Amino acid sequence: MTDQAYNFAYLDEQTKRMIRRAILKGLAVPGYQVPFASREMPMPYGWGTGGVQVTAACLTPEDVLKVIDQGADDTTNAVSIRKFFQRTAGVRVTERTAEASVIQTRHRIPEAPLREGQILVYQVPIPEPLRFLEPREAETRKMHELEEYGLMHVKLYEDIARHGEIATSYAYPVKVEGRYVMDPSPIPKFDNPKLGDCPAIQLFGAGREQRIYAVPPYTKVESLDFEDHPFVASKAPHDCDLCGAGESYLDEVIIDDAGGRMFVCSDTDFCSGRQAAGHRGRFSPEGM
Amino acid sequence: MGLVDVEMQAALDQPLLSVTGLTKRYGARIGCGDVSFELFPGEVMGIVGESGSGKSTLLSCLAGHLVPDQGQVTYAGRDVLAMAETERRRLSRTEWAYVHQNPRDGLRMGVSAGGNVGERLMAVGARHYGSIRETATDWLGRVEIAADRIDDRPSAFSGGMQQRLQIARNLVTGPRLVFMDEPTGGLDVSVQARLLDLLRGLVRDMGLSVIIVTHDLAVVRLLADRLMVMKGGRVVEQGLTDQVLDDPQDAYTQLLVSSVLQV
């Protein structure tokens, strides 16, 4: 099915080589943003051009690819990226987290634990965690170089002063291996604890901003906080209404005009796996 | 810490800051030329001169914002120009402070007053919200800003309050050396008087060494122990403040002193 007009996985070999060098450098310096010569991809910026390039550089013909968007395998972004690699690389695809060797994700980490040998590729809109505090790129690079991260806590301070608690709920800043402060991409802070000590390789690609960074397996990743306002991995205080899971990250779905709502797992593979195993939630269809 | 204490004791007899032959050129023009002086712990030095006389250039060179072409700056026995940038930036957020003429340059306008004061604390490793907030409240009180304004942004403050907030933000980590660039510029006279009063109190209480650049002779008369008069990038006269102002020797200083309006 491979479209023979393109090289394997769309990008030419020299480009993939360049990206792999950036990935290796990123793995060698965990959390450090490595500049790379991001290419134009046949999709708009903001749709995962960075993640797609990193995935393309990692794919081999034997790989099994899974693509998720907000945890779901069946949303537009996930479907089109999956099709793209089916067409240009001819790799096998799956929706099962455990079967995949490369997982490209937007805004979530799968609920099922990852294992050694897997690669998790994140799509990153803005790689610089200090960006909205300090607009000058030259200055933020200097701050990373000199480990001047006091400003990051000013943001958390402002949160507490205004809302009584740390209100940042996604893209929650982390410190990697005690050195670089990193934006974990807009994953919910519920997923932050899964970043650290993870057996899989985690790669982050920002296409428009031309940066790649990485968290190697079994790396220490701490979420920033205050001693008297510790980090809390929050989620909606409900169980999944389809599979009854109490420990997974939930999406809120409005179901009528009368204020009715339901909560469902954002990870569709996790949820359908549980339903297949016989778990039931509040809104599960009868006689299933 | 013991070693540092011994060093600090010895440092009391030594100049805190000593400057030799400092020169900064802008192409063929001279920003400031061949400036030398010493500043001792607890001493306040004023630099006066008309606009374009090189006083702000001199201050920027001392604070490390500009790189001078020639000369030496030694702070507490350390060569400031030769030290690594990491170390210099650490100095400038712990032992040094810089008060800008325009508070907008020295404050984060999008961050609350408490966050502004707390930034330096967090930059040196404070990680306890409650104690950061307590210190910030204390400092707002010391610069006469009501405690209930702690969560307001500086943009909601008057010019005088912004300037006082900037001073609190700078002094919160207990610096030893403070650079001030026209701290009272752009404020009306009654606000100026209160600010000067406040500054004088803080300088005495904290034993600060201060270099204050101004074109306002009343400011130096009130604050400065010693005075340096600059013209065309060069120092034309220096000495004790009262001596220079009451018995000016240089023609330019005489002109400067006689230009002040007597009300």
Side-chain angles (χ1 to χ4, degrees):
Chain A
M1 284 289 282
T2 307
D3 196 325
Q4 293 302 318
Y6 295 112
N7 188 32
F8 176 76
Y10 185 75
L11 292 171
D12 63 275
E13 291 304 313
Q14 285 306 314
T15 298
K16 285 195 269 184
R17 181 165 176 259
M18 172 272 293
I19 294 171
R20 284 172 193 146
R21 289 170 66 110
I23 292 171
L24 288 175
K25 183 168 179 181
L27 284 166
V29 193
Y32 171 72
Q33 297 168 43
V34 185
F36 80 110
S38 177
R39 298 290 193 251
E40 292 249 357
M41 298 302 283
M43 51 167 55
Y45 288 126
W47 284 68
T49 51
V52 161
Q53 289 177 78
V54 171
T55 301
C58 291
L59 277 183
T60 64
E62 295 75 38
D63 271 319
V64 183
L65 178 70
K66 171 183 165 77
V67 184
I68 52 174
D69 169 10
Q70 303 271 18
D73 290 275
D74 52 4
T75 47
T76 317
N77 195 211
V79 169
S80 63
I81 291 174
R82 190 161 56 230
K83 267 194 193 152
F84 175 75
F85 282 117
Q86 272 180 299
R87 191 174 151 201
T88 59
V91 290
R92 285 199 296 135
V93 295
T94 179
E95 295 193 356
R96 310 209 63 84
T97 303
E99 287 168 14
S101 57
V102 177
I103 304 171
Q104 180 168 337
T105 176
R106 172 175 175 270
H107 300 191
R108 271 316 302 280
I109 298 176
E111 302 288 352
L114 301 174
R115 56 176 163 77
E116 284 182 24
Q118 284 183 315
I119 300 176
L120 186 59
V121 179
Y122 296 78
Q123 300 171 198
V124 182
I126 295 171
E128 179 52 72
L130 302 162
R131 175 59 65 240
F132 293 111
L133 303 158
E134 173 55 65
R136 292 166 294 178
E137 174 71 13
E139 182 66 16
T140 54
R141 282 201 219 180
K142 189 123 265 171
M143 291 161 84
H144 281 294
E145 178 195 342
L146 304 176
E147 279 187 81
E148 286 181 5
Y149 291 133
L151 202 51
M152 208 71 246
H153 273 86
V154 173
K155 177 179 150 58
L156 302 179
Y157 170 95
E158 289 288 292
D159 261 9
I160 304 174
R162 214 168 298 160
H163 307 290
E165 57 176 11
I166 298 179
T168 304
S169 57
Y170 66 96
Y172 193 101
V174 294
K175 193 167 215 178
V176 182
E177 205 61 30
R179 177 60 180 86
Y180 284 99
V181 165
M182 183 186 97
D183 183 340
S185 87
I187 59 172
K189 67 176 168 185
F190 174 82
D191 282 340
N192 269 26
K194 297 184 219 163
L195 288 162
D197 209 30
C198 174
I201 295 175
Q202 300 175 77
L203 304 175
F204 299 78
R208 181 186 52 210
E209 304 288 325
Q210 314 199 323
R211 294 290 184 279
I212 285 172
Y213 50 103
V215 175
Y218 305 111
T219 300
K220 192 171 84 179
V221 180
E222 308 154 272
S223 303
L224 301 181
D225 59 2
F226 285 104
E227 288 157 14
D228 47 347
H229 283 85
F231 170 80
V232 180
S234 60
K235 69 180 274 283
H238 296 274
D239 293 341
C240 173
D241 286 330
L242 293 181
C243 76
E247 297 301 312
S248 71
Y249 191 74
L250 301 174
D251 286 339
E252 184 179 6
V253 183
I254 307 291
I255 48 176
D256 55 31
D257 288 344
R261 61 198 58 204
M262 67 188 288
F263 290 88
V264 293
C265 293
S266 93
D267 186 334
T268 51
D269 169 50
F270 177 79
C271 196
S272 56
R274 276 179 58 90
Q275 290 178 57
H279 296 278
R280 288 290 173 270
R282 203 157 56 95
F283 286 137
S284 293
E286 296 297 323
M288 211 174 82
Chain B
M1 287 304 281
L3 189 65
V4 177
D5 285 344
V6 173
E7 276 176 6
M8 276 173 75
Q9 267 306 316
L12 279 178
D13 311 327
Q14 301 279 325
L16 186 66
L17 187 77
S18 81
V19 178
T20 348
L22 197 77
T23 302
K24 171 75 188 171
R25 291 190 197 82
Y26 296 113
R29 284 195 188 79
I30 284 185
C32 62
D34 199 23
V35 178
S36 304
F37 67 89
E38 286 181 337
L39 183 76
F40 286 81
E43 197 179 24
V44 179
M45 194 174 78
I47 304 176
V48 294
E50 58 190 3
S51 299
S53 60
K55 47 194 200 310
S56 290
T57 300
L58 174 61
L59 199 70
S60 297
C61 286
L62 295 177
H65 301 166
L66 283 176
V67 182
D69 297 312
Q70 273 166 32
Q72 258 202 321
V73 181
T74 316
Y75 169 77
R78 283 177 287 174
D79 187 341
V80 176
L81 301 178
M83 73 173 58
E85 192 177 8
T86 331
E87 204 180 338
R88 199 172 49 66
R89 282 175 71 128
R90 188 173 304 127
L91 265 185
S92 66
R93 62 173 192 262
T94 53
E95 295 191 19
W96 294 0
Y98 194 102
V99 178
H100 292 264
Q101 172 175 9
N102 188 343
R104 277 157 210 279
D105 297 335
L107 291 172
R108 288 192 191 277
M109 299 305 282
V111 169
S112 70
N116 265 295
V117 177
E119 182 178 345
R120 269 171 83 108
L121 294 170
M122 294 182 243
V124 296
R127 291 292 179 266
H128 191 283
Y129 176 81
S131 58
I132 292 168
R133 201 159 167 89
E134 202 174 300
T135 316
T137 313
D138 176 44
W139 265 98
L140 289 182
R142 288 169 80 165
V143 297
E144 298 163 17
I145 296 176
D148 62 357
R149 304 295 304 268
I150 189 168
D151 291 332
D152 291 348
R153 293 185 177 186
S155 46
F157 286 6
S158 69
M161 280 170 84
Q162 287 180 1
Q163 195 57 288
R164 295 202 299 273
L165 180 62
Q166 193 195 178
I167 288 164
R169 169 184 158 88
N170 271 287
L171 298 188
V172 67
T173 47
R176 299 171 69 194
L177 175 60
V178 184
F179 302 101
M180 293 189 190
D181 189 2
E182 309 260 14
T184 57
L187 300 176
D188 71 62
V189 279
S190 59
V191 174
Q192 257 189 41
R194 270 178 65 202
L195 187 73
L196 284 173
D197 217 32
L198 177 78
L199 275 178
R200 196 158 57 159
L202 289 171
V203 166
R204 295 283 137 82
D205 292 348
M206 301 177 71
L208 300 173
S209 302
V210 181
I211 297 180
I212 182 163
V213 159
T214 182
H215 56 247
D216 188 343
L217 293 182
V219 170
V220 287
R221 175 77 93 174
L222 269 172
L223 282 179
D225 304 314
R226 272 197 304 143
L227 192 58
M228 202 157 89
V229 183
M230 293 187 71
K231 183 175 193 305
R234 310 223 167 241
V235 177
V236 291
E237 185 166 359
Q238 56 177 319
L240 297 175
T241 305
D242 292 346
Q243 191 186 344
V244 174
L245 291 183
D246 295 341
D247 181 19
Q249 302 294 311
D250 185 82
Y252 173 70
T253 318
Q254 290 167 357
L255 178 71
L256 196 68
V257 171
S258 61
S259 306
V260 176
L261 286 177
Q262 302 293 329
V263 187

